Amino acid sequence: MKFFVDTAEIDEIRDLADTGLVDGVTTNPSLIHKSGRNFFEVVHQICDLVDGPVSAEVAATDFDTMLAEGRKLSEIASNIAVKVPLTPAGLKTCRALSQGGTMVNVTLCFSPNQALLAAKAGARFISPFVGRLDDIAHDGMQLIAEICEIYENYPNLETEVLVASVRHPIHVLEAAKLGADVATVPPAVLHQMFNHPLTEKGLAAFVADWEKTGQSIL
Ligand code: E4P
């Protein structure tokens, strides 16, 4: 399973990229707003830090402007994945950009049929939002299961399932069990995945006992 980091905070991306566990980054207009920074500067910096796909979202909602914005964003770096919303105009933009060789991440997916349409439009990634479905008492992970099942039925569909709106490590675990290709994870959740109290307790005991031996490896 690939891990993308869901943030526009450069320090957090640098910190996590240093672990070698980060396969890409996703941003959205809300994350850019939260960063308080210039969109193009942030995305340039992220592309310099991370080799894998970096999602940058269009701002318009009509086809002509989304296509122009998508083309401009794709010029930032070769690893840009242009993010478009799951609307008829968004999927038309997806098709046009994909046919031109640009990676497209179709965002705001909340149903299996939407995911099927995005795959037919040539999306490189489909982003189903599990947390936002859970928030309204729908089963977000059920959506992932259905999309994975549908895509498996049609091996010619090359769209990767990118689990988005991840809120906690259990989302990542369940998505991995379902065989989703990618999870885009907020930095705090990725840090939570490293942690276990028994790891910390066990390591403290090993360090203390090693010191008592008076030996050194180096
Ligand atoms: C990522 O591509 C999505 O935009 C993001 O995961 C949405 O997360 P949220 O529902 O926590 O805003």
Side-chain angles (χ1 to χ4, degrees):
M1 183 184 223
K2 286 177 268 191
F3 290 136
F4 290 0
V5 192
D6 197 23
T7 184
E9 302 299 329
I10 295 296
D11 289 344
E12 290 180 329
I13 294 167
R14 188 180 292 113
D15 182 35
L16 287 164
D18 274 350
T19 66
L21 298 172
V22 172
D23 302 297
V25 174
T26 51
T27 67
N28 63 35
S30 304
L31 292 170
I32 296 296
H33 175 62
K34 194 172 154 205
S35 78
R37 298 195 49 209
N38 176 275
F39 181 32
F40 282 91
E41 274 179 27
V42 172
V43 174
H44 265 288
Q45 273 187 288
I46 298 174
C47 289
D48 285 344
L49 278 175
V50 175
D51 293 332
V54 173
S55 290
E57 189 159 338
V58 297
T61 55
D62 67 285
F63 169 68
D64 288 332
T65 320
M66 271 195 277
L67 185 59
E69 289 179 347
R71 286 185 172 143
K72 184 169 176 183
L73 292 171
S74 73
E75 285 166 8
I76 293 175
S78 58
N79 56 332
I80 284 288
V82 174
K83 223 171 170 189
V84 300
L86 210 154
T87 60
L91 293 189
K92 193 174 163 188
T93 309
C94 172
R95 174 160 297 285
L97 289 171
S98 298
Q99 283 174 341
T102 297
M103 282 189 286
V104 179
N105 175 358
V106 176
T107 189
L108 292 167
C109 171
F110 295 96
S111 83
N113 278 337
Q114 287 182 319
L116 188 54
L117 292 173
K120 283 185 73 74
R124 171 67 182 272
F125 302 104
I126 181 68
S127 288
F129 278 35
V130 292
R132 292 193 194 186
L133 278 172
D134 289 353
D135 288 346
I136 59 160
H138 285 242
D139 186 349
M141 214 40 71
Q142 178 62 27
L143 172 60
I144 303 303
E146 287 176 331
I147 297 173
C148 288
E149 183 186 347
I150 290 167
Y151 283 7
E152 272 167 25
N153 286 342
Y154 300 97
N156 61 321
L157 297 179
E158 293 175 348
T159 306
E160 295 185 46
V161 180
L162 196 175
V163 180
S165 189
V166 164
R167 300 282 161 78
H168 46 69
I170 303 294
H171 275 150
V172 182
L173 174 65
E174 293 299 326
K177 288 202 287 197
L178 291 168
D181 303 283
V182 192
T184 188
V185 186
V189 175
L190 204 46
H191 284 294
Q192 279 180 294
M193 289 169 64
F194 281 97
N195 297 335
H196 195 287
L198 291 179
T199 304
E200 286 165 34
K201 189 179 168 195
L203 182 59
F206 286 155
V207 168
D209 286 342
W210 179 251
E211 275 175 17
K212 288 179 208 159
T213 71
Q215 299 178 49
S216 118
I217 294 175
L218 297 177

Coordinates of all heavy atoms in Angstrom, one line a residue, residues 11-67:
D11 N 7.1 21.7 6.5 CA 7.9 21.1 7.5 C 7.4 19.7 7.8 O 8.2 18.8 8.0 CB 7.9 21.9 8.8 CG 8.6 23.2 8.6 OD1 9.4 23.3 7.6 OD2 8.5 24.2 9.4
E12 N 6.1 19.5 7.9 CA 5.6 18.2 8.2 C 5.9 17.2 7.0 O 6.2 16.0 7.3 CB 4.0 18.2 8.3 CG 3.6 19.0 9.6 CD 2.1 19.0 9.8 OE1 1.4 19.1 8.7 OE2 1.7 19.0 10.9
I13 N 5.8 17.7 5.8 CA 6.1 16.8 4.6 C 7.6 16.4 4.7 O 8.0 15.2 4.5 CB 5.8 17.5 3.3 CG1 4.2 17.7 3.2 CG2 6.3 16.7 2.1 CD1 3.8 18.6 2.1
R14 N 8.5 17.4 4.9 CA 9.9 17.1 5.0 C 10.2 16.1 6.1 O 11.0 15.1 5.8 CB 10.7 18.4 5.3 CG 12.2 18.3 5.1 CD 13.0 19.5 5.4 NE 12.7 20.6 4.4 CZ 12.1 21.7 4.6 NH1 11.6 22.0 5.8 NH2 12.0 22.6 3.6
D15 N 9.7 16.3 7.2 CA 9.9 15.4 8.4 C 9.5 14.0 8.0 O 10.2 13.0 8.2 CB 9.0 16.0 9.5 CG 9.1 15.2 10.8 OD1 10.3 14.7 11.0 OD2 8.1 15.0 11.5
L16 N 8.3 13.8 7.4 CA 7.8 12.4 7.1 C 8.6 11.9 5.9 O 8.8 10.7 5.8 CB 6.3 12.5 6.9 CG 5.5 12.7 8.2 CD1 4.1 13.1 7.9 CD2 5.6 11.4 9.0
A17 N 8.9 12.7 4.9 CA 9.6 12.2 3.7 C 11.0 11.7 4.1 O 11.4 10.7 3.5 CB 9.8 13.3 2.7
D18 N 11.6 12.2 5.2 CA 12.9 11.7 5.7 C 12.8 10.2 6.1 O 13.8 9.6 6.1 CB 13.3 12.5 6.9 CG 14.1 13.8 6.4 OD1 14.4 13.9 5.2 OD2 14.3 14.6 7.3
T19 N 11.6 9.8 6.5 CA 11.5 8.4 6.9 C 11.5 7.4 5.7 O 11.7 6.2 5.9 CB 10.1 8.1 7.6 OG1 9.1 8.3 6.6 CG2 9.9 9.0 8.8
G20 N 11.4 7.9 4.5 CA 11.4 7.1 3.3 C 10.0 6.4 3.1 O 9.9 5.5 2.2
L21 N 9.0 6.7 3.9 CA 7.8 6.0 3.8 C 6.7 6.8 3.0 O 5.6 6.3 2.9 CB 7.2 5.7 5.2 CG 8.2 4.8 6.1 CD1 7.7 4.8 7.5 CD2 8.2 3.4 5.5
V22 N 7.1 7.9 2.5 CA 6.0 8.8 1.8 C 6.1 8.6 0.3 O 7.2 8.8 -0.3 CB 6.3 10.3 2.2 CG1 5.4 11.2 1.4 CG2 6.0 10.5 3.7
D23 N 5.0 8.2 -0.3 CA 5.0 7.9 -1.7 C 4.4 9.1 -2.5 O 4.3 9.0 -3.7 CB 4.2 6.6 -2.0 CG 4.7 5.4 -1.3 OD1 5.9 5.1 -1.6 OD2 4.1 4.9 -0.4
G24 N 3.8 10.1 -1.8 CA 3.2 11.2 -2.5 C 2.5 12.1 -1.5 O 2.6 11.9 -0.3
V25 N 1.9 13.2 -2.1 CA 1.3 14.2 -1.2 C 0.0 14.6 -1.9 O -0.1 14.6 -3.1 CB 2.2 15.4 -1.1 CG1 1.5 16.6 -0.3 CG2 3.5 15.1 -0.4
T26 N -1.0 14.9 -1.0 CA -2.3 15.5 -1.6 C -2.5 16.8 -0.9 O -2.3 16.9 0.3 CB -3.5 14.5 -1.3 OG1 -3.5 14.1 0.0 CG2 -3.4 13.3 -2.2
T27 N -3.0 17.8 -1.7 CA -3.4 19.0 -1.1 C -4.8 19.3 -1.6 O -5.3 18.6 -2.5 CB -2.5 20.2 -1.6 OG1 -2.6 20.4 -3.0 CG2 -1.0 19.9 -1.3
N28 N -5.5 20.2 -1.0 CA -6.8 20.7 -1.5 C -6.9 22.2 -1.2 O -6.0 22.7 -0.4 CB -7.9 19.8 -1.0 CG -8.1 19.9 0.5 OD1 -7.9 21.0 1.1 ND2 -8.5 18.8 1.2
P29 N -7.9 22.9 -1.7 CA -8.0 24.3 -1.4 C -8.0 24.7 0.1 O -7.5 25.7 0.5 CB -9.2 24.8 -2.2 CG -9.3 23.8 -3.3 CD -8.9 22.5 -2.7
S30 N -8.7 23.8 0.8 CA -8.8 24.1 2.3 C -7.4 24.0 3.0 O -7.1 24.8 3.9 CB -9.8 23.1 2.9 OG -11.0 23.2 2.3
L31 N -6.6 23.0 2.6 CA -5.3 22.8 3.2 C -4.4 24.0 2.7 O -3.5 24.4 3.5 CB -4.7 21.5 2.7 CG -5.4 20.2 3.3 CD1 -4.8 18.9 2.6 CD2 -5.2 20.1 4.8
I32 N -4.5 24.5 1.5 CA -3.7 25.6 1.1 C -4.1 26.8 1.9 O -3.3 27.6 2.4 CB -3.9 25.9 -0.5 CG1 -3.4 24.7 -1.3 CG2 -3.3 27.2 -0.9 CD1 -1.9 24.4 -1.2
H33 N -5.4 27.0 2.1 CA -5.9 28.2 2.9 C -5.4 28.1 4.3 O -4.9 29.1 4.9 CB -7.5 28.1 2.9 CG -8.1 29.2 3.8 ND1 -7.9 30.5 3.6 CD2 -8.8 29.1 4.9 CE1 -8.5 31.2 4.5 NE2 -9.1 30.3 5.3
K34 N -5.4 26.9 4.9 CA -4.9 26.7 6.2 C -3.4 27.0 6.3 O -2.9 27.5 7.4 CB -5.1 25.2 6.6 CG -5.0 24.9 8.1 CD -5.4 23.5 8.4 CE -4.8 22.9 9.6 NZ -4.7 21.5 9.6
S35 N -2.7 26.7 5.3 CA -1.2 27.0 5.3 C -0.9 28.5 5.3 O 0.1 28.9 5.7 CB -0.5 26.3 4.1 OG -0.7 27.1 2.9
G36 N -1.9 29.3 4.7 CA -1.7 30.7 4.7 C -0.6 31.1 3.6 O -0.2 32.3 3.6
R37 N -0.3 30.2 2.8 CA 0.8 30.5 1.8 C 0.4 30.5 0.4 O -0.8 30.2 0.1 CB 1.9 29.4 2.0 CG 2.5 29.4 3.4 CD 3.8 28.5 3.4 NE 4.7 28.9 2.3 CZ 5.5 28.1 1.7 NH1 5.6 26.8 2.1 NH2 6.3 28.5 0.7
N38 N 1.3 31.0 -0.5 CA 1.0 31.0 -1.9 C 0.9 29.6 -2.5 O 1.8 28.8 -2.3 CB 2.0 31.9 -2.6 CG 1.8 31.9 -4.1 OD1 2.3 31.0 -4.8 ND2 1.1 32.9 -4.6
F39 N -0.2 29.3 -3.2 CA -0.4 28.0 -3.8 C 0.7 27.5 -4.6 O 1.3 26.4 -4.4 CB -1.7 28.1 -4.6 CG -2.2 26.8 -5.2 CD1 -2.0 25.6 -4.7 CD2 -2.9 26.9 -6.5 CE1 -2.4 24.4 -5.3 CE2 -3.3 25.7 -7.1 CZ -3.1 24.5 -6.5
F40 N 1.2 28.3 -5.6 CA 2.2 27.8 -6.5 C 3.6 27.6 -5.7 O 4.3 26.6 -6.0 CB 2.4 28.8 -7.6 CG 1.3 28.6 -8.7 CD1 0.2 29.4 -8.6 CD2 1.5 27.7 -9.7 CE1 -0.9 29.2 -9.5 CE2 0.4 27.5 -10.6 CZ -0.7 28.3 -10.5
E41 N 3.9 28.5 -4.8 CA 5.1 28.3 -4.0 C 5.1 27.0 -3.3 O 6.1 26.3 -3.2 CB 5.3 29.5 -3.0 CG 6.0 30.7 -3.6 CD 6.1 31.8 -2.6 OE1 6.1 31.5 -1.3 OE2 6.0 33.0 -3.0
V42 N 4.0 26.8 -2.6 CA 3.8 25.6 -1.8 C 4.0 24.3 -2.6 O 4.7 23.4 -2.3 CB 2.5 25.5 -1.0 CG1 2.3 24.2 -0.3 CG2 2.4 26.7 0.0
V43 N 3.2 24.3 -3.7 CA 3.2 23.1 -4.6 C 4.6 22.9 -5.2 O 5.1 21.7 -5.3 CB 2.1 23.2 -5.7 CG1 2.2 22.0 -6.6 CG2 0.8 23.2 -5.0
H44 N 5.3 24.0 -5.6 CA 6.7 23.8 -6.1 C 7.6 23.2 -5.1 O 8.3 22.3 -5.4 CB 7.3 25.2 -6.5 CG 7.1 25.6 -7.9 ND1 7.8 25.0 -8.9 CD2 6.3 26.5 -8.5 CE1 7.5 25.5 -10.1 NE2 6.5 26.4 -9.8
Q45 N 7.5 23.7 -3.9 CA 8.3 23.2 -2.8 C 8.0 21.7 -2.5 O 9.0 20.9 -2.3 CB 8.1 24.0 -1.5 CG 9.0 25.2 -1.4 CD 8.8 25.8 0.0 OE1 7.7 26.4 0.3 NE2 9.8 25.7 0.8
I46 N 6.8 21.3 -2.5 CA 6.4 19.9 -2.3 C 7.0 19.0 -3.4 O 7.6 18.0 -3.1 CB 4.9 19.7 -2.2 CG1 4.3 20.5 -1.0 CG2 4.5 18.2 -2.0 CD1 2.8 20.5 -0.9
C47 N 6.9 19.5 -4.6 CA 7.4 18.7 -5.7 C 8.9 18.5 -5.7 O 9.4 17.5 -6.1 CB 7.0 19.3 -7.1 SG 5.2 19.1 -7.4
D48 N 9.6 19.5 -5.1 CA 11.0 19.4 -4.9 C 11.4 18.4 -3.8 O 12.4 17.8 -3.8 CB 11.6 20.8 -4.5 CG 11.7 21.7 -5.7 OD1 11.6 21.2 -6.8 OD2 11.8 22.9 -5.5
L49 N 10.5 18.2 -2.8 CA 10.7 17.3 -1.7 C 10.4 15.9 -2.0 O 11.0 14.9 -1.4 CB 9.9 17.8 -0.5 CG 10.4 18.9 0.4 CD1 9.4 19.2 1.4 CD2 11.7 18.5 1.1
V50 N 9.3 15.7 -2.8 CA 8.8 14.3 -2.9 C 8.8 13.9 -4.4 O 8.3 14.7 -5.3 CB 7.3 14.3 -2.4 CG1 6.6 13.0 -2.6 CG2 7.3 14.7 -0.9
D51 N 9.2 12.7 -4.7 CA 9.3 12.3 -6.1 C 8.0 11.8 -6.6 O 7.7 11.9 -7.8 CB 10.3 11.1 -6.2 CG 11.7 11.5 -6.0 OD1 12.0 12.7 -6.2 OD2 12.5 10.7 -5.5
G52 N 7.1 11.2 -5.7 CA 5.8 10.6 -6.1 C 4.8 11.7 -6.5 O 5.1 12.9 -6.4
P53 N 3.6 11.2 -6.8 CA 2.5 12.2 -7.2 C 2.2 13.2 -6.2 O 2.1 12.9 -5.0 CB 1.3 11.2 -7.5 CG 1.9 9.9 -7.7 CD 3.2 9.8 -6.9
V54 N 2.1 14.4 -6.6 CA 1.7 15.6 -5.7 C 0.4 16.1 -6.3 O 0.4 16.7 -7.4 CB 2.8 16.6 -5.7 CG1 2.3 17.9 -4.9 CG2 4.0 16.1 -5.1
S55 N -0.7 16.0 -5.6 CA -2.0 16.5 -6.0 C -2.2 17.9 -5.8 O -2.0 18.4 -4.7 CB -3.2 15.7 -5.4 OG -3.2 14.4 -5.8
A56 N -2.5 18.7 -6.9 CA -2.9 20.1 -6.8 C -4.2 20.3 -7.5 O -4.4 19.9 -8.6 CB -1.8 20.9 -7.5
E57 N -5.1 21.0 -6.7 CA -6.5 21.0 -7.2 C -6.9 22.2 -8.0 O -6.4 23.3 -7.6 CB -7.4 20.9 -5.9 CG -8.9 20.6 -6.2 CD -9.6 20.0 -5.1 OE1 -9.0 19.4 -4.2 OE2 -10.9 20.2 -5.0
V58 N -7.7 22.1 -9.0 CA -8.2 23.2 -9.8 C -9.1 24.0 -8.9 O -9.7 23.4 -7.9 CB -8.9 22.8 -11.1 CG1 -7.9 22.1 -12.0 CG2 -10.1 21.9 -10.8
A59 N -9.3 25.3 -9.2 CA -10.2 26.1 -8.4 C -11.6 26.3 -9.1 O -12.6 26.5 -8.5 CB -9.6 27.4 -8.1
A60 N -11.5 26.3 -10.4 CA -12.8 26.6 -11.2 C -13.7 25.4 -11.2 O -13.3 24.3 -10.7 CB -12.4 26.9 -12.6
T61 N -14.9 25.6 -11.7 CA -15.9 24.4 -11.8 C -16.4 24.3 -13.2 O -17.1 23.3 -13.5 CB -17.1 24.6 -10.8 OG1 -17.7 25.9 -11.1 CG2 -16.6 24.6 -9.4
D62 N -16.0 25.1 -14.1 CA -16.4 25.0 -15.5 C -15.3 24.3 -16.3 O -14.1 24.5 -16.0 CB -16.8 26.3 -16.2 CG -15.6 27.2 -16.3 OD1 -15.2 27.8 -15.3 OD2 -15.1 27.3 -17.4
F63 N -15.7 23.6 -17.4 CA -14.7 22.8 -18.1 C -13.5 23.6 -18.7 O -12.4 23.3 -18.4 CB -15.4 22.1 -19.3 CG -14.5 21.4 -20.3 CD1 -13.7 20.4 -19.9 CD2 -14.4 21.9 -21.6 CE1 -12.8 19.8 -20.8 CE2 -13.5 21.4 -22.5 CZ -12.7 20.3 -22.1
D64 N -13.8 24.7 -19.4 CA -12.8 25.5 -20.1 C -11.7 26.0 -19.1 O -10.5 25.9 -19.3 CB -13.3 26.7 -20.8 CG -14.1 26.2 -22.1 OD1 -13.7 25.1 -22.6 OD2 -15.0 26.9 -22.5
T65 N -12.2 26.5 -17.9 CA -11.3 27.1 -17.0 C -10.6 26.0 -16.2 O -9.4 26.1 -15.9 CB -12.0 28.0 -16.0 OG1 -13.0 28.8 -16.7 CG2 -11.0 29.0 -15.3
M66 N -11.3 24.9 -15.9 CA -10.6 23.8 -15.2 C -9.5 23.2 -16.1 O -8.4 22.9 -15.6 CB -11.6 22.7 -14.9 CG -12.3 22.8 -13.5 SD -13.1 21.3 -13.0 CE -14.6 21.4 -13.9
L67 N -9.8 23.1 -17.4 CA -8.7 22.6 -18.3 C -7.5 23.5 -18.3 O -6.4 23.0 -18.2 CB -9.3 22.4 -19.7 CG -8.4 21.7 -20.7 CD1 -8.0 20.3 -20.2 CD2 -9.1 21.6 -22.1

